Amino acid sequence: MSIAEDQVPGVQAAPTETRGFVFNHTMLRAKDPAVSLAFYTRVFGMRLLRKLDFPEMQFTLYFLARVDDESAIPEDDGERTAYTFSQKGVLELTHNWGSEDDPELSYHDGNAEPQGFGHICFAVPDLAAAEQWFDANGVEFKKRSDQGKMKNVIFVKDPDGYWIEVVQPSLSKGLGRDSGAAVSPSA
């Protein structure tokens, strides 16, 4: 069964004016950039594409992505910035200076009430191996692959408590066929 876009309420044909638009990045706030950068580069193998400091507003932006061809990343700062903003699937970590020193500060993960933002997602070639990798690296689990009604879906938390869904595409073929349910760690 294919998705008939004209039969799903609210879906409209993409206007020709949007040709070339790229979904570039999602931003998450990071209380301590050293901790978050270590997590995303070590645990998920992301590469820091660009770091932008804004001293007058006291924040720094870190742009990370999975990169297959590191030789394609330009050395020149301006070209590297343009390259960063032309990629797909980039994670922007925003660090408000001094947040790492505030013991009372924690960011809303979007899943506690009131709900809003839910999670980001990584696809992996081997879910069982990824689960072992997360265990070996002390990653906090929200849901393991064998828990809940929806098997073969993992949810872990990053250092700021944001949820990360982890799926193996070949194991996801049957999702939503029986219940039509959206992916949720409580499922």
Side-chain angles (χ1 to χ4, degrees), residues 57 67 132:
M57 295 176 277
V67 177
Q132 291 174 353

Side-chain angles (χ1 to χ4, degrees), residues 7-152:
Q7 295 178 6
V8 178
V11 175
Q12 299 179 16
T16 57
E17 292 84 359
T18 64
R19 222 177 256 138
F21 284 22
V22 172
F23 181 79
N24 176 249
H25 69 266
T26 297
M27 184 275 271
L28 300 176
R29 287 175 172 73
K31 181 174 179 172
D32 186 334
V35 172
S36 292
L37 289 167
F39 176 83
Y40 282 104
T41 57
R42 179 179 40 81
V43 175
F44 282 97
M46 298 185 88
R47 170 81 194 268
L48 180 64
L49 298 181
R50 190 74 173 101
K51 174 182 177 269
L52 299 173
D53 292 311
F54 295 88
E56 65 283 358
M57 295 176 277
Q58 298 190 341
F59 70 86
T60 298
L61 306 177
Y62 301 90
F63 295 91
L64 301 118
R66 293 281 309 159
V67 177
D68 291 328
D69 182 9
E70 294 196 19
S71 68
I73 303 171
E75 292 294 324
D76 175 77
D77 284 346
E79 291 299 320
R80 192 174 184 120
T81 301
Y83 170 86
T84 298
F85 285 110
S86 70
Q87 301 306 298
K88 296 177 183 176
V90 175
L91 177 63
E92 173 189 333
L93 297 178
T94 296
H95 172 239
N96 295 305
W97 298 358
S99 61
E100 67 277 19
D101 299 323
D102 183 351
E104 301 299 315
L105 177 72
S106 67
Y107 291 117
H108 190 289
D109 67 11
N111 292 294
E113 294 297 331
Q115 290 181 322
F117 171 82
H119 61 267
I120 61 174
C121 180
F122 282 84
V124 298
D126 184 332
L127 195 65
E131 195 163 20
Q132 291 174 353
W133 173 248
F134 299 148
D135 278 329
N137 283 277
V139 175
E140 182 181 350
F141 282 83
K142 179 70 182 166
K143 178 198 169 304
R144 291 181 175 273
S145 62
D146 62 350
Q147 295 175 325
K149 294 177 186 172
M150 191 179 306
K151 306 301 183 204
N152 297 319

